[in-house]
Amino acid sequence: MEEDREDISGGEGEGEGGYHREAKRLRTEEEAGGEELEDGEEESEEAVVSSGTTDSRSRSNGGKSGVDDTHCIPPSPVVHVRGLCDAVVEADLVEALDKFGNICYVMMMPFKRQALVEFDSVESAERCVSSGNRDAVCIAEQQAFFNFSTSQRITRPTNIDDPSSGNKVLLLSVQNPLYPVTTDVLYTVCNPIVNVLRIVIFKRNGIQAMVEFESVEDAQKAKLALNGADIYAGCCTLKIEYARPNRLNVVRNDNSSWDYTKPFLLQRERGKGRHRQAILGEHPSNGYGQHCPLLPLPGNSRYRRSSEEVHDMITYPLLHHKTSSSSSYMDHPASSSVAMVSGLHPAKMNCSHIFNIFCLYGNVEKVKFMKSVAGTALVEMGDEYAVDRAVTHLNTIKVFGKKLNVCVSKQQAVIPSQVFELTDGSSSYQDFNLTRNNRFSSSQSSRNIIQPPAAVLHFYNAPPTLTQHQLHKLCTEHNVPIFTKFKIFDAKPSSKTLSGLLEFDNKTEAVEALTVLNHHQIRIPNSSNPFTLKLCFSTSSHL
């Protein structure tokens, strides 16, 4: 069968997949400094992309006290910066801190509001940290806090032996990609700064892209201007490093790759010119409405090339159902409305449990376990963007002690063949196309908030008589972790359901509870129809 030939490595051919990290959720409360990792978090974001890590000792308690614990960490050329505002890009850090000494490298952590800054000497870093202790040092008009890193340098993904190494090809990781990212979008963002030669987008482990410029200097300029920036407000955040390859090979011009030096490779359906203006402004509609134009940067933007004028604007493609998707999407192997998930617990995972997790990121149509590859399933979703969101937020999370590997499948549809019985007695194939539990089909779909897995769950559509004791009992009966805190929202007198929050000890426990209890039906006396309990990850970090 074709499914037996499915590539389950989950890796990208370019070898860049390891630099992707799932987007961190936006904080609901204003924070001046960095916080400790929440329980259950396996490693800091710094550790994922660099050996230049800072452990929890390098973070002050609460952040607002500045760097009270600096005496615990020996001086280092690398400074850990906390308390950044959402709009900060690499250029802001360089502009504010280069007065302390030459800056060799910057690594942004936008969703943590943090960054690592490597100076050319320990003395420069000491001037930065001591100045931040004495006086308020502002970055983009907001006070930041500084501490020494536990590492002596930030490791670059290019030449680790050369601290000043660069490349004319940049690796862009798109964090929290709530909207589609195409070559048009990236060209619109990058080309107003410096000329773009080639773009390649790949989606095996989240949405990443490589962008080739004319020179290392051009790439450096683009990295300064865009590293940490949002393509759209609050989402599609760019995390940029130098890539390994120094030239991109593009074989066709479409939504996933483009060679701007060879326009003859393939003519686009829209035959308009390529002179686009950068966006970094408002996001488009929810994808199911009218086309929304990408907004140009304001006239005084420092990231715009002064000699370039706005010629025209492009429109963002609609999130059509897959049956009406353009052929350029469906023909390209990098885009598919099918996700493949491996690392599933053989006894505790079934089609319904997979649906319970994946439905938070888009409509789920079919789920099928592969008979030839144990612990692996295919999930057909409403469109390829739902798959992108699922890959971004669910790849590498732990469920029942097993780490999931979620990637884009090579298959374009799930075929109900080789159906068998799973360990729990349920079917290995299930069609969810007509279920009312899909959340992206109704007129209320725009109210869905895409959130990464978190330790706090939001529950709703519960019976009005539901109590904390009943929820505890429900967790015990289904052998899932029990929440530690419970909060009920004040309901209107006319409300027939109950909603609230459940806080667990860590993210992993919350994921397991949601996997099992999401869409659990609760019956109450004197009611003919059961209540379908609905769960999702909350925007609150704690109760």
Side-chain angles (χ1 to χ4, degrees), residues 341 344-358 367-369 377 379 399-400 421-430 432 515-516:
V341 51
L344 298 168
H345 193 286
K348 296 184 178 181
M349 290 298 287
N350 56 34
C351 294
S352 294
H353 289 169
I354 291 176
F355 173 85
N356 288 345
I357 305 176
F358 277 74
V367 177
K368 172 189 173 183
F369 279 77
V379 184
V399 185
F400 304 122
E421 189 176 280
L422 298 177
T423 304
D424 64 355
S426 63
S427 173
S428 65
Y429 169 81
Q430 194 165 344
F432 295 95
T515 301
V516 176

Side-chain angles (χ1 to χ4, degrees), residues 20-94:
H20 175 77
R21 172 76 165 174
E22 65 178 271
K24 300 294 182 182
R25 66 179 180 274
L26 294 173
R27 300 295 187 186
T28 55
E29 298 177 345
E30 191 66 22
E31 298 170 342
E35 293 184 344
E36 297 284 347
L37 287 176
E38 61 178 303
D39 294 338
E41 197 72 26
E42 294 178 3
E43 53 189 342
S44 66
E45 184 161 351
E46 299 118 288
V48 177
V49 292
S50 169
S51 64
T53 57
T54 57
D55 59 23
S56 60
R57 294 175 301 166
S58 68
R59 300 171 186 178
S60 62
N61 295 325
K64 297 191 178 185
S65 60
V67 283
D68 296 337
D69 55 354
T70 43
H71 64 279
C72 300
I73 304 172
S76 163
V78 182
V79 173
H80 183 197
V81 187
R82 312 181 314 282
L84 301 174
C85 64
D86 290 333
V88 166
V89 295
E90 183 175 329
D92 296 316
L93 283 162
V94 173

Side-chain angles (χ1 to χ4, degrees), residues 245-448:
N246 55 22
R247 191 185 189 282
L248 299 180
N249 182 33
V250 176
V251 296
R252 60 181 296 177
N253 289 344
D254 59 15
N255 285 304
S256 296
S257 63
W258 201 285
D259 188 335
Y260 300 98
T261 68
K262 298 179 180 179
F264 55 83
L265 288 180
L266 182 69
Q267 294 297 322
R268 296 164 61 242
E269 292 181 6
R270 287 195 306 272
K272 297 183 180 180
R274 301 291 305 181
H275 302 288
R276 314 299 187 188
Q277 188 55 300
I279 41 175
L280 302 180
E282 294 299 319
H283 57 74
S285 65
N286 62 13
Y288 295 91
Q290 298 299 314
H291 286 224
C292 181
L294 299 180
L295 302 180
L297 282 173
N300 60 354
S301 172
R302 62 173 169 168
Y303 305 132
R304 170 182 294 171
R305 287 181 290 180
S306 58
S307 61
E308 183 166 329
E309 299 295 330
V310 181
H311 294 287
D312 60 345
M313 292 185 291
I314 64 174
T315 55
Y316 214 80
L318 287 172
L319 290 180
H320 288 303
H321 189 277
K322 66 179 188 307
T323 56
S324 59
S325 296
S326 65
S327 59
S328 60
Y329 274 108
M330 300 306 292
D331 294 342
H332 198 279
S335 297
S336 170
S337 59
V338 179
M340 183 174 65
V341 51
S342 57
L344 298 168
H345 193 286
K348 296 184 178 181
M349 290 298 287
N350 56 34
C351 294
S352 294
H353 289 169
I354 291 176
F355 173 85
N356 288 345
I357 305 176
F358 277 74
C359 73
L360 303 182
Y361 304 103
N363 289 338
V364 177
E365 300 197 353
K366 301 171 187 174
V367 177
K368 172 189 173 183
F369 279 77
M370 298 171 66
K371 189 172 186 178
S372 56
V373 187
T376 302
L378 299 176
V379 184
E380 183 175 345
M381 305 192 74
D383 52 56
E384 61 264 32
Y385 308 120
V387 173
D388 291 342
R389 293 191 292 267
V391 170
T392 298
H393 295 301
L394 299 179
N395 186 40
T396 74
I397 69 167
K398 280 190 174 180
V399 185
F400 304 122
K402 307 278 268 183
K403 183 179 287 188
L404 301 187
N405 177 30
V406 185
C407 61
V408 181
S409 173
K410 293 179 180 179
Q411 298 191 32
Q412 298 297 321
V414 170
I415 308 300
S417 60
Q418 292 184 306
V419 178
F420 59 97
E421 189 176 280
L422 298 177
T423 304
D424 64 355
S426 63
S427 173
S428 65
Y429 169 81
Q430 194 165 344
D431 190 329
F432 295 95
N433 192 38
L434 299 180
T435 180
R436 298 177 62 184
N437 292 330
N438 269 318
R439 306 178 184 184
F440 289 77
S441 300
S442 67
S443 59
Q444 302 298 316
S445 61
S446 60
R447 299 175 60 183
N448 290 317

Side-chain angles (χ1 to χ4, degrees), residues 81-145:
V81 187
R82 312 181 314 282
L84 301 174
C85 64
D86 290 333
V88 166
V89 295
E90 183 175 329
D92 296 316
L93 283 162
V94 173
E95 181 180 354
L97 304 182
D98 64 356
K99 61 186 177 183
F100 301 116
N102 293 328
I103 295 175
C104 299
Y105 203 80
V106 175
M107 182 182 10
M108 301 293 297
M109 294 171 278
F111 275 84
K112 297 171 75 69
R113 298 180 180 176
Q114 300 175 18
L116 293 178
V117 178
E118 181 183 325
F119 288 91
D120 63 352
S121 67
V122 175
E123 291 75 20
S124 298
E126 286 179 326
R127 285 194 292 269
C128 176
V129 174
S130 58
S131 178
N133 271 327
R134 293 191 314 268
D135 308 303
V137 176
C138 293
I139 299 175
E141 301 181 354
Q142 178 170 307
Q143 183 178 0
F145 303 94

